[in-house]
Structure formats: structure tokens, C-alpha cells
Amino acid sequence: MHTVDTSATSTSLIIGASSEIGQALITQLLAEPTQTQIVAVSRNPLKLPPSVRTIICDYTPEAIANVGQELSTLAGSFERIVICNGILHSGAIQPEKRLEDLKLDNMAEVFRVNSIVPALWLQALAPSLRSTTVCPVVLLSARVGSISDNRAGGWYSYRASKAALNMLIQSAAIEFARRAKNVKLVAFHPGTVDTPLSAPFQGNIADGKLFTAAYVAKRMLAVVAQLPADGRASYLDYAGNTIDW
Ligand SMILES: NC(=O)c1ccc[n+]([C@@H]2O[C@H](COP(=O)([O-])OP(=O)(O)OC[C@H]3O[C@@H](n4cnc5c(N)ncnc54)[C@H](OP(=O)(O)O)[C@@H]3O)[C@@H](O)[C@H]2O)c1
């Protein structure tokens, strides 16, 4: 059983913290001079400095609700939240090239991880997010989740699950504008990042367009630090540019 430091003035919560992008965010936050308590949630134990509080969660709805309840002791202190969960491939799951590749179980799993789990985190954390300071809640989306930007097709489940995530974010932003005006929801495209998720698909990437997780973590923190809580969701890339939904 871990403990959470309730005396800390601000908290940065990283969910899906085994993600290479999540790990880079933690490294970046630890290097910053300002003191923020870091809480990392993951399926598995992580090798992190002892100052980082780690919570193990298997992402069942009950487990997510329990973590939300536990974190309610930190209500009002959240400085930023980043939800990293996402799969493109995993074991038998591979991005589909054509309709014949669609399989119900694989699609359901991709939607569970990419769309439903992040939405359940918003549900679990909502009661703790009211505060007088802006709290960016960043959900790792992807440019391929843009419906208007889809020119290449394929990757049916991944594209559709990120588009569904984007719609869940849009709806949640409308609700947060009523119940927690300090919350700023961001669907974030990190670019193509050198992580296990993109590893099998890095063949055709232009020079200079495969980013390190460290670079993207820095960019994300800089981009979201500028954002006002305007009651709307933003769909942004690593450069801070808006992506059409
Ligand atoms: N890498 C890229 O080029 C790229 C591009 C666009 C968008 N993204 C998005 O960025 C996010 C982070 O990706 P990454 O590149 O850092 O990949 P990664 O290192 O493979 O991280 C995978 C993430 O997904 C979670 N996850 C994996 N399997 C899961 C499962 N069965 N149930 C629930 N959660 C599961 C992990 O959480 P645990 O800590 O609990 O293991 C971790 O947060 C993803 O949402 C991805 O779609 C990445």
C-alpha cells in the first residue's frame, strides 16, 4: 500500500506512466525547479525515483474508480494531468490495412484502451478537478484520429478509436465548462515518436520527423502551459498547431 503526500501544493498526474512519452514527462518534471508532486499510474511497477508516487491499476472500471477515490485527497491540487494510454498493435492486434482484416475482439480491445479507459479516467477524476487554477488535462490522441484529415485510410480501429476519444473529449469539455471551469481538455498529437508503439512503422518517416520522447515531453509541457481554460477542448500537435477535428 502506497501513501500519497497530501501536504504537497500541486500535483502532476501521469496515467499510463510506462509509456515512453509518460516516462519522459516524469523525467522532465523531476528536472524542473518548481516543486510538484508526481503521481504515476501504471499496470506494472515502474523504476522511478522514490519521490514519485506510483499507483498500480489494471484499468478495470472498478480499479479506475478506486484510484479516483484515493486521489480525491488531492482534490484541488492538480496542476496537470496526462493520460497516455493507447495501443496500435499488441500481440495478435495489428493495424488493419483493409476491411477483411477487421476482427471484433481486436477492435473492442483497441477501443477499450484508446477510447473507453481514458473516458473512465475523466469520470473518476472529475470530482477532484475543481480549483481556482487552470488544470490542463492532456489526452494522448493522434493526428490519424482526425476525421477531416483522413486521406490514407487503413488503421481502422486505431483511427476510429482516436476519433472516438476526440469526441469523448469534446463532450467532456462541454460538461467541464459547467462543473469545473478551470479544466482545459487537450487532445494531443505528439508527432511520430520513437517508442514501442511506432517501432514497426518507422520505415517511411522523413528525416527529422521521428521525435524522441524527451523532445515531445518538453513540447507538450510548453504547449499546454500557454492554454487558457476557455471551456473548449483543443486538438493540438507538438508544435502547438491546431488540428482540424
Ligand atoms: N509513438 C507515437 O508515434 C505516437 C503517435 C501518435 C500518438 N501516440 C499516442 O501516445 C500515447 C503513448 O504512446 P507511446 O508511443 O508512448 O507508446 P508506449 O510506450 O507503447 O505506451 C503504451 C501506453 O498504453 C498503455 N497501455 C498499453 N497496453 C494497455 C492495456 N492493455 N490497457 C491499458 N493501457 C495500456 C500503457 O500504460 P501502462 O503504463 O499501464 O503500461 C502506456 O500508457 C498513446 O496513446 C499513443 O496512441 C503515439
Side-chain angles (χ1 to χ4, degrees):
M1 182 75 185
H2 63 278
T3 56
V4 170
D5 178 5
T6 52
S7 65
T9 53
S10 80
T11 304
S12 294
L13 173 62
I14 313 294
I15 295 171
S18 82
S19 140
E20 299 240 349
I21 297 170
Q23 295 280 307
L25 280 167
I26 292 170
T27 302
Q28 179 67 26
L29 289 172
L30 286 169
E32 285 189 352
T34 51
Q35 295 287 313
T36 182
Q37 172 181 218
I38 302 171
V39 180
V41 177
S42 185
R43 289 170 298 168
N44 300 304
L46 302 169
K47 282 189 190 150
L48 290 168
S51 64
V52 178
R53 308 290 179 188
T54 305
I55 300 176
I56 304 297
C57 179
D58 63 7
Y59 303 118
T60 59
E62 299 74 25
I64 290 172
N66 286 341
V67 174
Q69 183 63 37
E70 181 177 349
L71 292 176
S72 66
T73 56
L74 297 172
S77 80
F78 290 101
E79 189 178 2
R80 63 179 71 78
I81 294 172
V82 183
I83 302 176
C84 300
N85 303 82
I87 55 169
L88 171 60
H89 59 91
S90 172
I93 298 176
Q94 292 297 325
E96 308 94 346
K97 292 185 177 147
R98 48 192 211 140
L99 289 167
E100 284 79 355
D101 297 334
L102 299 183
K103 293 196 179 81
L104 185 146
D105 288 352
N106 292 356
M107 295 182 81
E109 178 62 1
V110 173
F111 272 80
R112 185 186 70 79
V113 176
N114 292 0
S115 325
I116 299 169
V117 162
L120 292 177
W121 280 113
L122 294 181
Q123 178 190 56
L125 294 168
S128 300
L129 295 186
R130 286 180 63 160
S131 149
T132 50
T133 52
V134 179
C135 177
V137 179
V138 184
L139 297 101
L140 269 293
S141 181
R143 191 184 299 278
V144 296
S146 164
I147 290 176
S148 53
D149 188 63
N150 186 356
R151 274 161 290 204
W155 291 24
Y156 285 84
S157 300
Y158 188 73
R159 279 184 187 278
S161 63
K162 292 294 190 182
L165 173 67
N166 289 351
M167 183 58 93
L168 289 160
I169 292 170
Q170 287 267 28
S171 287
I174 291 166
E175 186 173 340
F176 276 118
R178 287 197 299 268
R179 62 189 281 189
K181 296 185 194 308
N182 61 305
V183 171
K184 173 67 185 179
L185 288 182
V186 182
F188 187 79
H189 170 61
T192 305
V193 192
D194 189 9
T195 72
L197 181 140
S198 70
F201 309 99
Q202 294 176 359
N204 293 324
I205 297 168
D207 282 353
K209 287 293 180 192
L210 180 61
F211 301 140
T212 64
Y215 170 75
V216 167
K218 267 191 202 160
R219 292 301 314 145
M220 183 198 296
L221 292 172
V223 165
V224 305
Q226 311 293 328
L227 300 175
D230 55 3
R232 301 174 63 86
S234 292
Y235 188 15
L236 300 173
D237 71 8
Y238 56 90
N241 293 325
T242 296
I243 301 171
D244 287 336
W245 300 92

